[in-house]
Amino acid sequence: MVRVKVNDRVVEVPPGTSVMDAVFQAGYDVPLFCSEKHLSPIGACRMCLVRIGLPKRGPDGKPLLNEKGEPEIQWQPKLAASCVTAVAEGMVVDTLSEVVREAQAGMVEFTLLNHPLDCPTCDKGGACELQDRTVEYGLYEKYYQKGPLELPVYTRFEFTRRHEDKHHPLSPFVILDRERCIHCKRCVRYFEEIPGDEVLDFIERGVHTFIGTLDFGLPSGFSGNITDICPVGALLDLTARFRARNWEMEETPTTCALCPVGCGITADTRSGELLRVRAREVPEVNEIWLCDAGRFGHEWADTRRLKTPMVREGGRLREATWEEAFLALKEGLKGAKGEEVGLYLAGDATLEEGLLAAALAESLKTPHLDFQGRTAAPASLYPAATLEDLLRADFALVLGDPTEEAPILHLRLSEFVRDLKPPYRFAHGTPFADLQIKERMPRRTDKMALFAPYRAPLMKWAALHEVHAPGEEREILLALLGEKEGGEAVRKAKEAFERAERPVLILGAGVLQDTVAAERARLLAERKGAKVLAMTPAPNARGLEAMGVWPKEKGAAWDEPGAPYAYYGFVPPEAALKGKRFVVMHLSHLHPLAERHAHVILPAPTFYEKRGHILNLEGRVLPLSPAPIENGEAEGALQVLALLAEALGVRPPFRLHLEAERALKAKKVPEAMGLYAFRTKALRPKEETGNLYLRPTMWKAWQREGKAKEAASAELWVHPETARLEALPEGASVEVETPLGREEARVVHRQDVPKGLYYLSALGPFAGRRFPAQILVPAGGEA
């Protein structure tokens, strides 16, 4: 450790720490605009200037002492940017002297020269770093007040301020106000360094400089992060723009449950509406980043909600009270045997809900217990790696598309190929200026091999990559096991995997939906002692498996018929609903299949409104906290399953959240952020045939509301030759038969798609599955 004196306090920090983080560690503050956590600092803003001194040393290299016996300090002639200066033993840092305060005040004045000062109409008002820095550092009385009886001068700028384009849309989700931009370059560096998409840059020079892009749209699934890291109101989230002031919104820290990563988010609400979703810093999981689907795809949560129970009378659904719904449950389940009842939870059901469902299924002695999106092979088949294990690994073998299946893995793999390690955790948290990050760091493409059914974005960072047809994962894994010959990329990947000392295996839905491929992946991981990140379609797959939510022998799966009486926490395929005597659906939004088949529909909260815990792909326990969103009479699965038990004449194991938490502790589930290890070898083989492949997508079908409507639309990828034979022109709108009904999709011609196959956006739990293609062309014929 290196000892550094900051003003009057001495701290010990690791070698290579920036002076800025040493200052924060000592309990002081320095202003900054240019740097942000996990971005390489370049000292462009010059706000973090400090005075630095080092001990004078004699010819023998020993420090010279003054008359007090203390090392004599030699101060540097100029102030230094603390974000790019590394600490040294015996260094002294001054952040409080008049010369430092004067320099910082001058930089604030310089930053404000051309700023429009439109705070009353700016959405960033109340959460603006420029406002904070101006209040804390902007007015330095000794410098600005010429005489003791004269008023302070706030600025010496006497010219007309620069005027720029104020409402320039960069994409359907992000708008740029060029007049407010202070040229800190955070957004430019973010795209270069984090997702690796160089889409923004400085254009022109001097006073004419502005941020811009050549084309409309930011070609990245992670563009919304620039609205978080922009220190002023230059980059704004269009889903929340002009909807509320920052101090009017109620902030709820919770967890995103759209994918198995479980990113930390802050849900901002006002008057029962969900106005904005922002990334919340969770260093172990998502750091401070969020994918666009998690950030902008929230407008569905408070749109057209189901707010009261509905019961079927005379063949039609009508609104009812909970008492009437309970009587309908008792009547519909009259005479039902326990083993005839199916309990099917949503893929984002909490650990508490899963534990109650498993206990209730045991009481009923029913084998019909499952959750939406469960794959043929469980995620718990493998020892889980953590995201920090990935950064410490020396080789990553990927079968799937992390960009779509677990988006934050894309950003973690960006760090991985740049040889970045988990940063040191200070008392103030993640370092503000991590000096191991450099600008335009070379990416070591030899550290990653990637195999996917189409050209995935991460292939640009993998020296070994190959596109294969859906279902060929089992052959690739057989070659990786050395039991057959594979292609050149597979052969080299096998050699690299065997040479690696700390490899990590990343598996997508294509492998998990095929029990043969999944078992071969398990053998490959165990042979090398590799840990695995399993990218499941269900966000809480590991957690629900650990709670025992799994179909028993002769039990019907979540997408199969079988149980005459069933509770669904989601909308199942129509094939699973046929022949049912009584169907209870627990939904947040109505669906045509529910209106057609459900006998009782009960209002449910979205994951933004739940209280409980989930388990992410690392096996990490993550907390859910309820945001105050208007949901009428919605109740969680704990209450509804308890009601169902009473209707069946069974005593519910528990019905309150506190009881569920005690039950989790008895099961030795750790507290939030702890790791829960659970392994199983259970497999449920399911034959996958057909020429329609449902490719994984970060966007989900239920997110088609507001600004996200276009982003969450379906695409049908087809090879140009196949498209010509089937008369499917580029851009045509077609309808495709899916398990949940017809899906409208836009035809996209792709050279990387095998001939004779069709790739449809999964937009939900069927990712990685294959079905026979039934495509209706615009003229009404079937292709």
Side-chain angles (χ1 to χ4, degrees):
M1 301 293 279
V2 176
R3 287 170 59 86
V4 180
K5 184 177 181 182
V6 181
N7 299 322
D8 58 346
R9 300 174 190 171
V10 177
V11 292
E12 291 188 349
V13 293
T17 298
S18 67
V19 170
M20 173 182 287
D21 282 298
V23 172
F24 279 105
Q25 184 75 353
Y28 292 98
D29 192 11
V30 285
L32 70 157
F33 285 132
C34 70
S35 181
E36 181 70 16
K37 296 175 184 180
H38 293 279
L39 288 179
S40 65
I42 57 172
C45 75
R46 313 303 294 179
M47 275 294 296
C48 62
L49 293 172
V50 294
R51 187 168 170 240
I52 291 176
L54 288 168
K56 282 186 179 180
R57 298 187 182 274
D60 57 356
K62 293 182 180 179
L64 299 178
L65 304 179
N66 57 22
E67 58 274 9
K68 294 182 181 179
E70 298 173 346
E72 189 175 343
I73 301 302
Q74 182 174 10
W75 295 96
Q76 292 183 1
K78 292 186 177 181
L79 302 182
S82 62
C83 66
V84 290
T85 307
V87 296
E89 182 62 40
M91 179 181 282
V92 177
V93 181
D94 165 31
T95 68
L96 301 177
S97 63
E98 290 188 1
V99 65
V100 173
R101 291 180 61 201
E102 186 174 319
Q104 291 169 343
M107 292 312 302
V108 170
E109 182 187 22
F110 186 72
T111 305
L112 290 171
L113 287 184
N114 284 304
H115 203 70
L117 303 180
D118 54 354
C119 302
T121 61
C122 179
D123 264 17
K124 200 79 169 185
C128 175
E129 291 181 44
L130 183 55
Q131 287 179 340
D132 296 340
R133 299 295 176 261
T134 303
V135 170
E136 294 171 16
Y137 302 95
L139 178 62
Y140 183 57
E141 288 83 353
K142 182 176 179 181
Y143 185 65
Y144 287 101
Q145 200 168 6
K146 295 181 180 178
L149 299 179
E150 295 184 34
L151 292 173
V153 178
Y154 286 84
T155 178
R156 294 164 292 169
F157 191 68
E158 298 176 356
F159 303 98
T160 304
R161 294 178 186 272
R162 180 191 61 183
H163 294 289
E164 293 285 350
D165 186 2
K166 285 198 67 66
H167 308 291
H168 180 77
L170 293 179
S171 77
F173 301 117
V174 180
I175 194 164
L176 169 64
D177 189 318
R178 287 176 175 157
E179 202 167 69
R180 296 175 187 159
C181 178
I182 61 171
H183 303 162
C184 67
K185 209 183 179 184
R186 276 188 191 176
C187 55
V188 175
R189 296 203 321 278
Y190 162 77
F191 277 113
E192 290 175 355
E193 298 171 22
I194 309 302
D197 303 313
E198 299 192 11
V199 295
L200 286 179
D201 206 350
F202 280 147
I203 301 173
E204 300 294 349
R205 300 184 68 183
V207 74
H208 302 292
T209 302
F210 65 92
I211 294 287
T213 182
L214 293 178
D215 303 310
F216 176 74
L218 301 172
S220 169
F222 309 94
S223 63
N225 292 309
I226 60 177
T227 65
D228 275 351
I229 65 176
C230 179
V232 292
L235 293 163
L236 295 174
D237 175 350
L238 275 172
T239 65
R241 189 167 176 246
F242 296 151
R243 296 188 69 185
R245 308 298 293 180
N246 283 288
W247 55 86
E248 296 174 333
M249 290 189 275
E250 186 170 344
E251 301 178 358
T252 305
T254 185
T255 299
C256 178
L258 285 175
C259 83
V261 174
C263 298
I265 59 172
T266 298
D268 291 332
T269 56
R270 188 186 75 159
S271 301
E273 289 185 84
L274 178 59
L275 302 182
R276 180 174 66 185
V277 170
R278 293 176 289 133
R280 177 170 60 89
E281 184 179 11
V282 183
E284 298 86 351
V285 183
N286 60 307
E287 299 174 321
I288 56 171
W289 313 123
L290 195 60
C291 74
D292 284 353
R295 181 184 298 276
F296 301 122
H298 61 79
E299 292 182 82
W300 63 279
D302 52 16
T303 304
R304 295 198 295 274
R305 287 293 295 270
L306 178 65
K307 295 185 178 182
T308 59
M310 302 187 78
V311 297
R312 189 172 297 277
E313 282 186 4
R316 300 173 68 89
L317 287 171
R318 69 166 180 86
E319 291 187 357
T321 64
W322 275 93
E323 289 78 10
E324 291 173 320
F326 178 65
L327 292 175
L329 283 178
K330 288 189 72 173
E331 182 64 28
L333 295 170
K334 187 184 296 181
K337 298 177 182 178
E339 62 270 18
E340 294 179 324
V341 178
L343 301 176
Y344 301 104
L345 296 180
D348 60 2
T350 63
L351 298 181
E352 292 85 350
E353 293 166 350
L355 193 58
L356 175 57
L360 182 56
E362 190 174 343
S363 298
L364 295 171
K365 295 183 172 52
T366 177
H368 310 297
L369 173 67
D370 207 354
F371 62 90
Q372 181 193 30
R374 179 190 54 78
T375 50
S380 310
L381 191 65
Y382 313 97
T386 66
L387 295 171
E388 294 194 349
D389 285 338
L390 175 61
L391 295 187
R392 296 187 181 97
D394 50 4
F395 187 74
L397 177 58
V398 186
L399 284 90
D401 181 10
T403 309
E404 298 291 343
E405 299 185 69
I408 290 301
L409 271 181
H410 178 111
L411 308 185
R412 289 292 192 166
L413 286 165
S414 172
E415 296 176 17
F416 170 71
V417 296
R418 286 182 287 156
D419 269 341
L420 297 176
K421 303 303 178 197
Y424 180 83
R425 300 279 158 71
F426 295 97
H428 60 272
T430 311
F432 278 87
D434 190 352
L435 294 185
Q436 67 169 325
I437 305 175
K438 311 293 182 188
E439 271 202 288
R440 297 190 177 275
M441 293 179 72
R443 299 183 188 268
R444 286 190 52 194
T445 58
D446 60 303
K447 292 182 66 177
M448 182 165 63
L450 193 148
F451 303 95
Y454 50 88
R455 181 154 189 86
L458 279 171
M459 285 182 176
K460 63 185 176 183
W461 297 334
L464 303 171
H465 62 263
E466 188 175 275
V467 174
H468 58 80
E472 289 185 3
E473 290 91 351
R474 56 173 65 180
E475 304 303 320
I476 291 172
L477 283 159
L478 199 62
L480 290 168
L481 286 166
E483 297 181 18
K484 67 168 285 186
E485 286 294 320
E488 182 72 8
V490 176
R491 183 182 60 79
K492 290 183 177 179
K494 173 181 175 293
E495 294 171 358
F497 191 76
E498 290 175 348
R499 284 195 307 269
E501 295 180 4
R502 299 179 306 280
V504 167
L505 192 57
I506 301 176
L507 304 177
V511 174
L512 300 174
Q513 300 284 18
D514 184 342
T515 52
V516 175
E519 183 63 19
R520 289 172 180 173
R522 183 184 67 81
L523 291 173
L524 180 65
E526 289 181 354
R527 184 177 296 180
K528 187 63 184 174
K531 291 185 177 180
V532 178
L533 290 168
M535 303 182 292
T536 55
N540 193 25
R542 271 194 180 273
L544 294 173
E545 290 163 10
M547 296 300 105
V549 181
W550 186 269
K552 308 301 184 286
E553 188 178 354
K554 296 183 181 179
W558 65 277
D559 58 342
E560 297 173 347
Y565 306 87
Y567 159 85
Y568 289 100
F570 57 94
V571 179
E574 190 162 19
L577 292 168
K578 290 180 178 176
K580 289 278 193 293
R581 297 179 203 166
F582 191 74
V583 176
V584 182
M585 289 195 189
H586 188 203
L587 309 173
S588 60
H589 294 74
L590 270 177
H591 188 277
L593 287 180
E595 293 179 287
R596 200 176 308 151
H597 295 279
H599 297 90
V600 175
I601 304 177
L602 302 174
T606 65
F607 68 82
Y608 298 110
E609 303 143 50
K610 287 187 178 182
R611 184 185 301 280
H613 298 84
I614 61 173
L615 218 61
N616 75 346
L617 79 176
E618 308 170 279
R620 192 180 300 280
V621 181
L622 300 173
L624 292 175
S625 298
I629 299 172
E630 171 56 39
N631 58 18
E633 299 176 15
E635 292 286 356
L638 284 181
Q639 290 72 29
V640 170
L641 288 173
L643 204 66
L644 191 70
E646 288 184 9
L648 288 163
V650 177
R651 181 182 175 85
F654 49 81
R655 63 172 72 241
L656 300 177
H657 183 75
L658 288 176
E659 294 176 301
E661 283 190 343
R662 283 197 290 268
L664 282 183
K665 286 182 181 177
K667 206 171 174 65
K668 293 185 169 52
V669 175
E671 297 290 332
M673 300 311 297
L675 294 171
Y676 184 53
F678 173 79
R679 295 288 304 279
T680 180
K681 290 191 176 180
L683 296 171
R684 292 272 298 189
K686 182 181 285 290
E687 187 178 2
E688 293 293 327
T689 57
N691 56 348
L692 177 67
Y693 174 70
L694 296 182
R695 66 174 184 86
T697 52
M698 73 167 68
W699 293 92
K700 311 304 177 192
W702 55 85
Q703 293 181 299
R704 292 177 184 152
E705 292 289 347
K707 297 284 191 298
K709 189 172 184 178
E710 181 65 28
S713 60
E715 291 183 344
L716 183 69
W717 293 356
V718 59
H719 192 278
E721 288 190 23
T722 305
R724 181 172 52 81
L725 292 173
E726 302 293 344
L728 296 172
E730 174 90 21
S733 179
V734 297
E735 288 188 343
V736 186
E737 285 289 347
T738 72
L740 292 174
R742 289 185 181 177
E743 180 72 55
E744 187 175 333
R746 182 173 62 88
V747 176
V748 176
H749 293 178
R750 297 259 307 207
Q751 293 285 350
D752 58 329
V753 174
K755 298 175 184 177
L757 293 178
Y758 304 90
Y759 286 51
L760 179 67
S761 308
L763 298 172
F766 288 96
R769 298 278 295 275
R770 283 180 288 151
F771 300 92
Q774 298 180 57
I775 302 169
L776 302 177
V777 296
E782 195 171 293

